[in-house]
Amino acid sequence: MSVAGENLERAATILRRARSVVVFTGAGVSAESGVPTYRSGADGLWSVQNMERYANPDGYARHLPDSFAWYRARASGVRSVEPNAGHVAIARLAQLVPRVTVVTQNIDSLHQRAGSAEVIELHGHLRTARCAQCDARVEWQGAPDSACCVDCGGMLRPEVVMFREMLPPEAYSMAVERAAECDVLLSVGTSNQVFPAAEIPRIALEHGAWVFIVNPDMEGQPLHIRVLPLRGRAGEVLPALLDLAWPATG
Ligand code: BV8
Ligand code: ZN
């Protein structure tokens, strides 16, 4: 078994019996679509320096208009790529298991574009910007050049959760609830370094679920009797896992 080793068979047997699955994703699930991960340290747009400079409220306000342009470039970047085989397999899973909830840290909307219906966005999205003063929404596609709200002159900001900002309470509590009641949590493409999102797999484990880790790199991943590492890329491991679990529907 080239993909993910012998754990894949075991994971497929467990997944086939599951009634409720949470798919918890990070930037790695979008890597094969061409969206750089946060820790790839790309010195381009997505550099760690830019994250620290722009992805927090004070830094964003202080570095206008560059911070606004940075988010606008990221919004157009994610619109210009396509969901990959990993996103498609996750969307397909919802046809095979009674309840599937995608809990994503990603802001690229690729799960929705791949056909996933039940998606909880813990860290917001790059579809629209919002005026910090009058709450007006602006599509990033065709957004003005400056961060100045045309309605009130206020500051436009992305609808993402920046560092040091609270996660949307309803999104986070729904994610915790689903993690606490699922049979299997698939953790796909996340380094588990950002809190409180990183608590989600631990909550599933604490409530007796199996946790399958899909990642080429297992550094920093939780170790536990019910954690099954499935080493490899999401676009390779996830389709193979579903084909093994449901051979007829491959
Ligand atoms: C909060 C949107 C309460 C924005 C993001 C000190 C001061 C202040 C706060 C803190 C502090 N210390 C800790 C904190 C809390 C902080 C935090 O956790 N910081 C970390 C860095 C330690 N969290 C927060 O601030 C959160 N809010 O806590 O509020 C509060 C209030 C006041 C004061 C304190 C606390 C808000 C966090 C949300 C931040 N917003 N995104 C934007 O993008 O512009 S986070 C962003 O980074 C992503 O959303 C994601 O969550 C995270 C990146 O993580 P990953 O998705 O895991 O991506 P990464 O690149 O790390 O890993 C990719 C993985 O994929 C790797 O493992 C790789 O091996 C794998 N991979 C690669 N290729 C593939 C693959 N896997 C599969 N297939 C492949 N092909
Ligand atoms: Zn306004």
Side-chain angles (χ1 to χ4, degrees):
M1 174 68 57
S2 65
V3 178
E6 72 292 343
N7 281 348
L8 201 72
E9 300 261 0
R10 199 152 162 237
T13 309
I14 296 164
L15 186 61
R16 191 171 34 248
R17 289 199 305 263
R19 316 294 305 151
S20 168
V21 172
V22 164
V23 188
F24 176 64
T25 65
V29 77
S30 300
E32 291 154 88
S33 296
V35 181
T37 63
Y38 289 81
R39 281 164 188 83
S40 58
D43 34 20
L45 206 52
W46 275 264
S47 73
V48 176
Q49 296 82 344
N50 280 346
M51 278 303 285
E52 277 149 15
R53 214 177 4 235
Y54 301 148
N56 68 81
D58 316 346
Y60 178 80
R62 208 170 43 249
H63 289 99
L64 285 172
D66 298 349
S67 47
F68 177 76
W70 183 64
Y71 273 104
R72 199 173 50 171
R74 289 175 71 195
S76 106
V78 298
R79 276 199 313 275
S80 67
V81 299
E82 294 303 320
N84 65 59
H87 295 108
V88 172
I90 291 167
R92 186 174 141 223
L93 185 62
Q95 319 304 325
L96 300 163
V97 170
R99 160 168 270 189
V100 172
T101 308
V102 177
V103 175
T104 190
Q105 302 171 84
N106 298 340
I107 58 178
D108 58 29
S109 309
L110 289 177
H111 285 301
Q112 293 92 327
R113 288 179 51 200
S116 285
E118 184 90 14
V119 180
I120 297 175
E121 294 176 316
L122 292 180
H123 293 158
H125 57 80
L126 282 173
R127 296 183 289 276
T128 49
R130 172 173 58 81
C131 171
Q133 273 64 44
C134 74
D135 228 22
R137 289 319 193 262
V138 179
E139 295 281 331
W140 277 110
Q141 192 155 8
D145 283 342
S146 86
C148 188
C149 169
V150 290
D151 297 346
C152 78
M155 176 186 80
L156 292 177
R157 55 151 293 161
E159 293 220 73
V160 302
V161 178
M162 294 185 185
F163 286 98
R164 287 201 282 288
E165 289 189 323
M166 302 302 284
L167 275 59
E170 63 288 344
Y172 188 63
S173 53
M174 176 67 78
V176 168
E177 192 184 305
R178 296 291 168 88
E181 66 189 18
C182 72
D183 305 314
V184 174
L185 180 138
L186 276 161
S187 165
V188 185
T190 182
S191 63
N192 291 305
Q193 291 184 22
V194 174
F195 288 84
E199 298 285 353
I200 296 296
R202 190 184 53 72
I203 291 167
L205 271 182
E206 264 176 13
H207 286 78
W210 281 87
V211 171
F212 303 160
I213 312 260
V214 179
N215 199 316
D217 168 7
M218 291 298 163
E219 198 209 326
Q221 298 295 341
L223 291 173
H224 185 280
I225 184 94
R226 273 188 272 98
V227 168
L228 270 185
L230 303 178
R231 188 183 298 277
R233 293 197 308 272
E236 211 179 77
V237 170
L238 291 172
L241 175 63
L242 267 63
D243 290 348
L244 212 50
W246 291 278
T249 61

